[in-house]
Structures are given as structure tokens and as C-alpha cells.
């Protein structure tokens, strides 16, 4: 006999009217956000806990999501930050020696909604063609939904343009970071002999970025996104790091840009930015940022280094980009996306100040770009030993 169709227990309603029905898992409830797709084949837990996904629901184009379970070591923040996730197949029972829980149970404990049984190819094509839509995602085990109300709430979502989300995900107070990258078989290490004093501004920093800084010998002090130049310089840093983060860079720039400009004017120290930190640096130097149609989200994005000709496969997560046509004199474009030619890196021509749009720390993703952390520390050493 044919299998009886399951009653839908979750639905995804788009602001322009289409509704996708599926099976819910994780927490019950409703959430409203921007919808984006991610093409990574691994690392769903790192993606869900990446603070850069604040205000977004993630469509995973890879169908096997949940099959390796979850564990505390793979979390990039204390809690999931992405509002929810959309997958083609319902998560299966985990099968991995590192797993301590299933994805569904983990989501339920953390208050995040999942929906399975969705035609993610169709949804992804729609996002690519029409741009990242505003959506409402609902999970009700009883299968009772007010579709008109869900569509209305999706239409009322204000979107990410003009929205400062860095304040939502940043740390509440400063702290030191000493944990280094995970390595077999010991696991995470500890940096007990740092050589370079670095201040990291937390716009939504992933843990693995901080681990990479510690691994290359940095004594890392993390400051909140709203830290002032006086806060930074009071610590007498030898280098300044600007982290990744969510939201509209122009909104975050209202307080971040004056801080960066003041530090650059008062201290001749190396500066390194990633993702939102890259955009903050570009704004501080006089460039502009723009909203992308559907952004870049995945662990397989080719980026070309214009200065060496080398192509790196990178991890990306951003919905805004630096407009390279607005870069001022003295600032050079260093990297571009081979997908669409958008800006992926800049540097000042007369100072060790540089940034990239992608994520060299991976987690998830390839490690082609780890050299950037070493470039940062080499610039610090050069300043100490001119």
C-alpha cells in the first residue's frame, strides 16, 4: 500500500505569498526573518551558531543535515544565532563519535525552529532570482496554522537594511581569550606564552577566529562593539582586530567608524578586519557598502588574490558588500570574488592595515586563507623591530 501522506507540522510563508509545507523539528513556535541559502556540505552547527546569521533563516542546499549530530566543541557562540533552518530531508539519527545530541533535540533546547521536506532547490533558485525574501517560519505539532497571519507578519518584517545587529550579539564586557585551535588528539589548546598584544572588537566574533589569533601567538583582549578609541588605546595594543558580525554595516558604522578612524589617527599599529570588520574598515577609510541581492553564504567560494594571482577557496557569510568603485586613494582592492567580481579584500598602501570579506578561520570551510593571521602577526613584529 502507498505510504500515507504526513500532516504538515511546519510551514514557511514568504512575504509575496508562496507557502512551503513540511515537517517541523526543534522548537515549536513562529519566527520572522530574512531567508538566505548556504551551500556548505558540512558544519551546520557552526553555521547556526555564527553570530553573523542574526536576523536570518538558513536554507541548506546540501540535503544531509543533522546526520553527525551536535557537540559543544563545534559551537561558535553560546547559543544558536540564526533564527531557524530549512532542509530537504528530515534530520536522521546522528552517527558520529563526537556527537552528544541530535540536531532536533539541540534546536528544541535552544529555542530554534527547523522545517524538513522542503524543495530546497526551488527555494534557492527563487532566492537567487528575486533576492533574499522576508519570511515567517512556524512549527506546530498539531498542524494548525493561520497562513494569512504568517504572510502578513513576513510582510511586516523590516529587513536588515538600516538594522544594527552587532549590539545584539556582542559581548557585554571585555575579556581575555587564550584557547587555541582544535588539534587531534588533544582537542583545544591554550596559549600560555603570547608574544603580541592584540585588541579584538567583537561585532559578533566567532570563537574560531579568536582561537586563530591565539594560535599565532596573540594575547587577545576582546572588547564590545561599542568600545571607544580611548578604550582600545588604554590597553596599549600592538595590533587591532575587527571581527565579523551581522546587520547593516552602515548602521553599525555610526559608532564603529569614528572609533576606527580615531585609532588610525592616534596609533600606528596594524589593523586586520574580517567580514563586518572588513566593511567597518572600508567605511572608516571613506568607501561605501551596498546590500547584495542574495549575498554569499557557503564554504566553497573562490576568491582571487589580485596581488599574487592565487585563487583561494573560502568560507563566506555576508549580505552586504564594499563598493570597490568608492575606495579612496591610498586604499587598494586586494581580493575579488570569482563568482560575481564583488570586493573581497582591501589594504592601505602605506600602512599595515588590511581586511577581507571572507572567513579565513573557516569553521566550517577550507583553511586556504590561514596565512592572513600570520600576515597580521608579521606586521606586528615588523612594527616592534623596525
Amino acid at each position: 500500500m502507498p505510504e500515507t501522506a504526513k500532516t504538515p507540522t511546519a510551514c514557511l510563508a514568504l512575504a509575496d505569498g508562496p507557502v512551503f509545507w513540511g515537517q517541523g523539528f526543534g522548537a515549536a513556535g513562529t519566527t520572522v526573518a530574512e531567508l538566505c541559502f548556504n551551500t556548505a556540505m558540512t558544519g551546520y552547527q557552526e553555521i547556526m551558531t555564527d553570530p553573523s546569521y542574526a536576523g536570518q533563516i538558513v536554507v541548506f542546499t546540501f540535503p544531509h543535515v543533522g546526520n553527525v549530530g551536535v557537540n559543544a566543541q563545534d559551537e561558535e557562540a553560546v547559543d544558536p544565532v540564526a533564527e531557524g533552518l530549512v532542509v530537504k530531508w528530515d534530520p536522521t539519527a546522528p552517527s558520529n563519535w563526537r556527537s552528544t545530541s541530535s540536531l532536533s533535540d539541540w534546536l528544541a533546547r535552544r529555542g530554534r525552529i527547523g522545517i524538513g521536506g522542503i524543495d530546497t532547490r526551488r527555494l534557492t533558485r527563487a532566492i537567487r532570482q528575486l533576492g533574499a525574501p522576508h519570511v515567517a517560519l512556524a512549527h506546530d505539532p498539531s498542524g494548525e496554522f493561520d497562513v494569512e497571519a504568517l504572510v502578513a507578519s513576513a510582510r511586516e518584517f523590516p529587513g536588515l537594511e538600516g538594522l544594527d545587529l552587532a549590539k545584539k550579539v556582542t559581548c557585554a564586557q571585555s575579556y581575555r581569550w587564550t584557547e587555541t585551535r582544535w588539534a587531534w588528539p588533544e582537542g583545544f589548546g591554550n596559549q600560555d606564552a603570547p608574544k603580541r598584544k592584540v585588541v579584538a572588537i567583537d561585532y559578533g566574533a566567532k570563537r574560531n577566529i579568536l582561537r586563530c589569533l591565539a594560535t599565532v601567538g596573540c594575547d587577545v583582549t576582546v572588547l564590545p562593539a561599542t568600545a571607544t578609541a580611548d578604550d582600545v588605546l588604554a590597553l596599549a595594543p600592538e595590533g587591532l582586530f575587527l571581527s565579523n558580525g551581522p546587520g547593516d554595516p552602515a548602521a553599525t558604522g555610526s559608532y564603529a567608524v569614528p572609533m576606527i578612524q580615531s585609532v588610525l589617527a592616534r596609533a600606528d599599529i596594524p589593523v586586520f578586519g574580517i567580514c563586518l570588520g572588513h566593511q567597518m574598515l572600508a567605511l572608516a577609510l571613506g568607501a561605501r557598502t551596498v546590500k547584495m541581492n542574495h549575498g554569499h553564504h557557503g564554504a566553497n567560494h573562490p576568491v582571487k588574490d589580485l596581488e599574487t594571482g592565487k585563487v583561494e577557496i573560502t568560507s563566506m557569510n555576508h549580505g552586504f558588500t564594499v563598493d570597490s568603485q568608492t575606495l579612496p586613494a591610498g586604499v587598494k582592492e586586494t581580493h575579488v570574488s570569482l563568482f560575481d567580481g564583488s570586493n573581497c579584500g582591501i589594504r592601505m598602501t602605506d600602512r599595515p592595515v588590511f581586511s577581507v570579506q571572507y572567513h579565513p578561520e573557516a569553521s566550517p570551510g577550507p583553511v586556504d586563507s590561514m596565512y592572513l593571521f600570520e600576515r597580521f602577526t608579521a606586521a606586528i613584529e615588523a612594527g616592534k623591530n623596525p
Side-chain angles (χ1 to χ4, degrees):
M1 295 181 63
E3 182 180 350
T4 303
K6 295 180 180 179
T7 300
T9 59
C11 71
L12 180 72
L14 278 62
D16 59 351
V19 177
F20 292 75
W21 298 95
Q23 298 301 310
F25 56 93
T30 302
T31 187
V32 182
E34 179 183 273
L35 191 69
C36 67
F37 65 85
N38 188 295
T39 56
M41 294 192 293
T42 61
Y44 53 81
Q45 188 179 2
E46 292 99 319
I47 291 166
M48 288 298 295
T49 55
D50 179 351
S52 296
Y53 278 108
Q56 293 179 303
I57 293 170
V58 183
V59 178
F60 287 90
T61 61
F62 189 69
H64 301 285
V65 175
N67 54 329
V68 296
V70 296
N71 67 83
Q73 291 185 332
D74 286 347
E75 295 179 352
E76 290 296 326
V78 174
D79 287 305
V81 181
E83 295 293 332
L85 73 162
V86 181
V87 297
K88 181 173 179 59
W89 293 332
D90 298 343
T92 56
S95 178
N96 186 279
W97 66 274
R98 297 177 68 231
S99 175
T100 58
S101 176
S102 71
L103 174 61
S104 183
D105 288 346
W106 180 76
L107 291 170
R109 291 195 306 271
R110 305 300 185 88
R112 291 297 185 269
I113 302 171
I115 182 173
I118 301 298
D119 185 347
T120 52
R121 283 191 176 186
R122 177 187 169 192
L123 199 51
T124 297
R125 286 196 298 268
I127 295 171
R128 289 190 62 184
Q129 294 168 2
L130 304 175
H134 299 169
V135 301
L137 174 60
H139 173 204
D140 183 348
S142 69
E144 299 292 331
F145 301 99
D146 185 339
V147 175
E148 290 186 1
L150 290 173
V151 172
S153 62
R155 289 174 177 167
E156 292 169 0
F157 180 66
L160 300 186
E161 286 191 82
L163 196 60
D164 172 28
L165 290 174
K167 288 181 181 177
K168 179 180 178 181
V169 298
T170 190
C171 56
Q173 59 187 25
S174 64
Y175 62 94
R176 288 192 65 222
W177 183 276
T178 61
E179 188 174 75
T180 56
R181 295 176 66 203
W182 194 93
W184 173 265
E186 295 84 4
F188 295 121
N190 188 70
Q191 178 55 264
D192 53 10
K195 300 177 181 178
R196 308 158 185 108
K197 193 172 184 180
V198 169
V199 166
I201 304 299
D202 176 16
Y203 300 120
K206 293 173 63 180
R207 289 172 173 173
N208 213 49
I209 290 179
L210 302 178
R211 293 188 190 110
C212 289
L213 290 169
T215 298
V216 295
C218 294
D219 179 355
V220 184
T221 300
V222 183
L223 295 184
T226 54
T228 65
D230 288 339
D231 296 330
V232 172
L233 297 177
L235 296 171
E238 297 169 307
L240 174 64
F241 175 78
L242 309 172
S243 86
N244 65 294
D248 188 338
T252 304
S254 64
Y255 54 86
V257 165
M259 180 278 289
I260 297 168
Q261 291 174 332
S262 183
V263 169
L264 290 174
R266 296 163 57 185
D268 187 11
I269 58 174
V271 178
F272 175 28
I274 288 176
C275 195
L276 184 62
H278 162 70
Q279 297 162 357
M280 291 298 95
L281 179 62
L283 290 173
L285 296 176
R288 292 196 299 270
T289 56
V290 294
K291 183 79 163 66
M292 304 176 76
N293 179 63
H294 56 272
H296 289 166
H297 310 276
N300 50 5
H301 286 249
V303 167
K304 184 175 183 179
D305 185 330
L306 298 178
E307 298 183 304
T308 66
K310 177 182 176 182
V311 175
E312 305 164 27
I313 303 301
T314 71
S315 182
M316 285 194 181
N317 174 23
H318 61 104
F320 293 80
T321 186
V322 173
D323 182 354
S324 60
Q325 300 301 310
T326 66
L327 292 174
V331 180
K332 183 177 182 179
E333 183 174 49
T334 58
H335 298 76
V336 296
S337 166
L338 291 184
F339 278 159
D340 58 15
S342 61
N343 174 263
C344 288
I346 61 172
R347 70 173 176 87
M348 294 186 69
T349 57
D350 59 348
R351 295 177 63 175
V353 174
F354 65 98
S355 59
V356 292
Q357 182 63 75
Y358 50 94
H359 283 255
E361 86 288 349
S363 215
V367 293
D368 295 22
S369 309
M370 278 295 299
Y371 70 90
L372 290 166
F373 293 97
E374 297 167 351
R375 176 181 292 178
F376 180 49
T377 54
I380 293 175
E381 289 299 319
K384 292 166 65 175
N385 303 289

